[in-house]
Amino acid sequence: MHEMGIVSGILEASTAAARREGALSIREIHVRVGDLTEIVDEAMRFAFEALTPGTLAEGAQLVIERVAAVSRCAECSAEFSHGRFDIVCPQCEGFICEMLHGRELEVSHIEVALPGEEDKP
Ligand SMILES: [Zn+2]
C-alpha cells in the first residue's frame, strides 16, 4: 500500500509547516489528488489514522479534493476531461494529447490551531 508512504510525506510537510508557524495542532489537511494517480481515498484515510497519533496532526481531518483528468489535444488544441483509458480528443478524435491535470498530489492548505485561540470553535 503505497498510500502509507504518500501520507507519511504529506504529514511530514504539514507538521513542519505547522511547527514553523508555532501552531499547537493541525485541524485539517487539504490535499489535491488527481484522478489518474493510483491513490485510493480509503487507503489514504486509513494511513492517515494510523500515522497521525502522537503528531501535531492527531485528531485532524484529512480533506481529499479529487482533480479530474484534463488534456489538451496536440492537433486542434481542444481541452477535454477524460478517464484513465479514454484519452481521445472529442473534437477531432486525435490521440496525441498533453496532460494538463489528473496527476496532482499536493497539499493545498492546512488549518492549524494557534496559541491563544484554543477556545474558538
Ligand atoms: Zn483534437
Side-chain angles (χ1 to χ4, degrees), residues 24-25 27 112-121:
L24 299 171
S25 66
R27 288 175 175 157
V112 299
L114 293 170
E117 57 171 37
E118 299 96 295
D119 296 332
K120 284 184 189 169

Side-chain angles (χ1 to χ4, degrees), residues 72-78 80 89-97:
R72 182 192 292 130
C73 177
E75 301 288 328
C76 73
S77 299
F80 59 97
C89 175
Q91 198 158 299
C92 73
E93 297 188 347
F95 54 86
I96 301 170
C97 302

Side-chain angles (χ1 to χ4, degrees), residues 12-24:
E12 233 164 76
S14 301
T15 52
R19 208 170 284 129
R20 265 200 311 276
E21 298 301 321
L24 299 171

Side-chain angles (χ1 to χ4, degrees), residues 46-98:
F46 178 84
F48 192 77
E49 293 299 318
L51 294 171
T52 46
T55 72
L56 277 180
E58 182 163 2
Q61 205 190 339
L62 179 67
V63 182
I64 300 171
E65 183 195 335
R66 281 273 161 181
V67 182
V70 175
S71 286
R72 182 192 292 130
C73 177
E75 301 288 328
C76 73
S77 299
E79 289 182 13
F80 59 97
S81 60
H82 53 79
R84 193 184 293 265
F85 300 114
D86 59 344
I87 309 176
V88 174
C89 175
Q91 198 158 299
C92 73
E93 297 188 347
F95 54 86
I96 301 170
C97 302
E98 177 198 356

